[in-house]
Amino acid sequence: MCALLCAASKSIQAFFDNAFAGFWMFQGESSRIERISLEFPRGSGCLDHIANTVLTEDEVTKMRVRTTSILGPSEIDHLPEAIAKPLRNNSIVSLVCVPLVGTKGPVGVISLGSREREAFNQMDADLLSQIASQISLALENALVNRRITFSSRRLEDERHCLDSELQAEYNFEGIVGKSAAIKHVLEQVAIVAQTDSTVLLIGESGTGKELVARALHNRSLRRSCTFVPLNCASVPSGLLESELFGHEKGAFTGALAQKRGRIELAHEGTLFLDEIGDIGLEFQPKLLRVLQEREFERLGNNRTIKVDTRLIAATHRDLTGMMSKGEFRDDLFYRLNVFPIHIPPLRERKEDIPLLVHYFVTTLSQKMRKSIRIIPRDVMDAMTSFPWPGNVRELQNFVERSVILSRGETLAAPISELVRVLVPREIVTGTTLHEIEREAILSGLRAAHGKLSGAGGAAERLGLKRTTLQRKMQRLRIEKSDYIYRARAGLASAA
């Protein structure tokens, strides 16, 4: 568009010998005009950073009825200061203004200026009106193309976001289960889905919080628009603001082009923020503003953007405990906790495990082009009784490994990894699964006198692979001092 107006300005200047040419455009349907091109061929040249101007009702009416104006020095002084100041600075004392009118009404105004008094007459105004009608058609076409380009870019951004999510590997494609715990979750989803209320999903990692968020979106009135997920824990704190709010070209080193943020992509749709408890205190007030005011600014631009986005947040952390420690803002928590839904861990819905196993075996067998039809009873019993600390995600990964190992129609699962450790009652001092598992591993290590692998080692006693045992020890923060000292003390007492 700027190239079009520059070419028009040069042609007009050659004919009218004017000392100034200016083009302004309406901003949408408002009465605010925006400087597109302001040129002084024999003075300060093309000017930038001219403030936008709001026209009076009379000025808008003149443009709508296609009124031309010929102005002298006194009339120029009464123009808005943002327009009059550069004219005075360049000694412009006479002006002719003609509206640019498209097929649907005024789109802007064209002005020519001179340093000579009474430089323009009615014949000049009539001729400029004829030129303006041709420029108006070209401008209208350019505006239509710009809107199409903007819409295309938005659709491309949304398509890219959707494609990246479709290519990702999800826990499962549907909510599988018939337990009372999962039915309660689905009932809550049905209650809140058709509202625009903020939902907070609370549950351990691997329980399928994103799946529930997608179910909320798909059952809502926003299902025809975009579902945009973001895992807050996977984005460095310094980049989270850019990822959510977007940025302008040149806003920071490496910002080579304008980027629309996740919040803007989710306009009229749903934004899912997973691991919301991992965002830093410095960013929490900015997120709170989006929830309260439904507006934000891109990095590098102070223009406020209004959004209509529904927020679904999820966390595995204890936000109330974080509040008491000053790690999470109270006001943000209350905004997020409008409708909390607790997602149960897999150990609390064991009756769903056989259904999930059959679902995963069928899906993965088709994907790997295998024909697995039989799941041995001992394999199913082992999977049903195992506590699955990693929840559905861990179960899916185990089934996938089993399908890979299977050669015929029978599922060949490595159930040695799932052998339950029978722990004597006297050493079960913990009250949580985490504590029980830790105490069981410590018991095996002490019984093996600290030996990890090999005959009589802790891995063999616990029915685990050495690498699995080491991984669990690292996760449970088991150090040598936790079992070596006691093992040696036991040997000494035996001696």
Side-chain angles (χ1 to χ4, degrees):
M1 182 181 295
C2 290
L4 168 67
L5 296 179
C6 286
S9 177
K10 290 180 180 178
S11 299
I12 292 172
Q13 200 272 334
F15 185 83
F16 285 92
D17 194 29
N18 52 287
F20 160 76
F23 296 87
W24 286 268
M25 302 294 295
F26 274 115
Q27 288 185 344
E29 301 296 327
S30 69
S31 59
R32 183 180 292 273
I33 60 173
E34 163 185 25
R35 190 275 307 167
I36 297 296
S37 177
L38 200 63
E39 187 174 3
F40 296 89
R42 294 191 293 260
S44 53
C46 186
L47 297 187
D48 289 324
H49 309 299
I50 304 300
N52 295 341
T53 305
V54 178
L55 300 180
T56 65
E57 188 174 344
D58 290 340
E59 290 169 329
V60 174
T61 302
K62 287 182 180 180
M63 293 185 68
R64 294 192 184 282
V65 298
R66 309 187 184 195
T67 301
T68 60
S69 302
I70 299 176
L71 309 179
S74 59
E75 290 90 353
I76 290 176
D77 288 337
H78 287 87
L79 291 174
E81 185 62 19
I83 298 175
K85 184 177 179 180
L87 297 179
R88 289 195 298 267
N89 292 343
N90 285 269
S91 304
I92 302 298
V93 294
S94 61
L95 205 66
V96 56
C97 303
V98 174
L100 297 168
V101 183
T103 56
K104 296 182 180 180
V107 294
V109 63
I110 177 175
S111 300
L112 300 183
S114 175
R115 295 189 177 93
E116 299 178 5
R117 292 177 178 271
E118 300 180 357
F120 302 103
N121 54 37
Q122 189 58 45
M123 185 178 298
D124 295 322
D126 293 340
L127 178 59
L128 186 60
S129 296
Q130 295 178 29
I131 296 173
S133 64
Q134 300 300 316
I135 296 176
S136 298
L137 292 175
L139 278 176
E140 194 168 43
N141 290 334
L143 287 171
V144 170
N145 289 333
R146 187 166 69 173
R147 284 193 291 268
I148 292 173
T149 300
F150 177 79
S151 299
S152 298
R153 287 178 179 173
R154 175 171 180 173
L155 289 173
E156 180 63 21
D157 288 343
E158 293 178 354
R159 185 195 66 78
H160 178 74
C161 184
L162 288 172
D163 285 348
S164 63
E165 294 306 318
L166 289 172
Q167 291 169 4
E169 293 184 359
Y170 301 113
N171 288 330
F172 42 83
E173 298 175 0
I175 299 177
V176 178
K178 62 178 182 180
S179 63
I182 203 66
K183 284 182 179 178
H184 178 65
V185 170
L186 294 178
E187 288 172 0
Q188 290 182 302
V189 168
I191 290 171
V192 75
Q194 304 240 342
T195 72
D196 280 340
S197 299
T198 302
V199 178
L200 178 62
L201 305 178
I202 305 168
E204 297 176 7
S205 297
T207 51
K209 296 187 288 294
E210 182 170 342
L211 187 68
V212 176
R214 289 180 180 276
L216 283 165
H217 174 74
N218 292 334
R219 295 192 181 194
S220 72
L221 300 177
R222 298 172 178 262
R223 57 184 172 270
S224 60
C225 298
T226 314
F227 176 88
V228 180
L230 176 65
N231 189 313
C232 299
S234 66
V235 182
S237 57
L239 298 178
L240 186 59
E241 184 172 359
S242 171
E243 190 67 30
L244 275 176
F245 298 155
H247 60 255
E248 298 292 338
K249 180 179 179 180
F252 53 84
T253 303
L256 303 179
Q258 184 193 73
K259 177 185 176 182
R260 298 169 66 240
R262 299 286 181 115
I263 293 176
E264 198 172 351
L265 287 174
H267 178 61
E268 297 183 347
T270 302
L271 175 66
F272 174 57
L273 295 182
D274 200 2
E275 303 300 350
I276 192 75
D278 286 6
I279 64 174
L281 277 171
E282 70 282 355
F283 184 72
Q284 291 177 21
K286 299 177 182 179
L287 181 59
L288 179 64
R289 180 195 173 194
V290 175
L291 290 174
Q292 289 179 331
E293 308 297 336
R294 303 289 180 181
E295 63 183 26
F296 68 97
E297 292 95 28
R298 290 198 196 112
L299 286 176
N301 192 332
N302 58 5
R303 184 171 67 90
T304 300
I305 300 175
K306 293 282 187 179
V307 286
D308 174 21
T309 301
R310 182 187 191 176
L311 177 65
I312 300 175
T315 184
H316 74 282
R317 305 182 68 176
D318 179 14
L319 295 185
T320 54
M322 293 177 65
M323 287 164 51
S324 63
K325 296 176 182 177
E327 297 173 352
F328 203 85
R329 291 176 61 103
D330 296 18
D331 46 7
L332 178 58
F333 173 76
Y334 299 137
R335 280 285 180 180
L336 294 172
N337 199 42
V338 175
F339 195 91
I341 298 178
H342 293 266
I343 314 298
L346 193 54
R347 62 181 176 275
E348 293 181 6
R349 53 185 189 107
K350 285 184 175 293
E351 58 267 47
D352 292 336
I353 292 178
L355 295 174
L356 288 166
V357 171
H358 281 288
Y359 176 83
F360 290 140
V361 168
T362 301
T363 304
L364 293 168
S365 295
Q366 293 175 352
K367 183 178 179 180
M368 299 181 190
R369 298 180 181 180
K370 294 190 176 185
S371 55
I372 299 174
R373 298 183 177 87
I374 302 172
I375 303 176
R377 181 179 294 276
D378 61 332
V379 171
M380 184 62 78
D381 289 344
M383 287 191 284
T384 303
S385 60
F386 191 71
W388 299 112
N391 294 294
V392 179
R393 183 182 295 120
E394 185 182 6
L395 173 63
Q396 183 196 11
N397 292 337
F398 179 80
V399 173
E400 183 173 356
R401 185 160 63 254
S402 302
V403 172
I404 294 172
L405 294 171
S406 302
R407 296 182 179 275
E409 296 184 350
T410 302
L411 183 69
I415 58 174
S416 61
E417 298 180 12
L418 306 180
V419 174
R420 295 190 62 183
V421 181
L422 299 178
V423 185
R425 288 182 177 272
E426 59 269 21
I427 69 168
V428 182
T429 57
T431 57
T432 68
L433 180 64
H434 181 279
E435 293 169 338
I436 292 172
E437 185 180 17
R438 190 176 192 276
E439 196 66 29
I441 292 176
L442 285 172
S443 176
L445 288 165
R446 291 166 192 152
H449 308 301
K451 182 180 179 182
L452 290 183
S453 59
E460 182 183 84
R461 290 173 179 269
L462 296 168
L464 300 173
K465 292 182 179 179
R466 178 183 58 81
T467 54
T468 303
L469 175 59
Q470 289 174 326
R471 188 165 58 249
K472 288 179 177 290
M473 290 173 62
Q474 185 177 10
R475 177 170 58 82
L476 296 170
R477 298 179 180 177
I478 295 176
E479 305 291 343
K480 281 188 177 182
S481 58
D482 295 327
Y483 59 88
I484 290 294
Y485 174 78
R486 294 191 182 183
R488 290 175 178 169
L491 287 171
S493 63

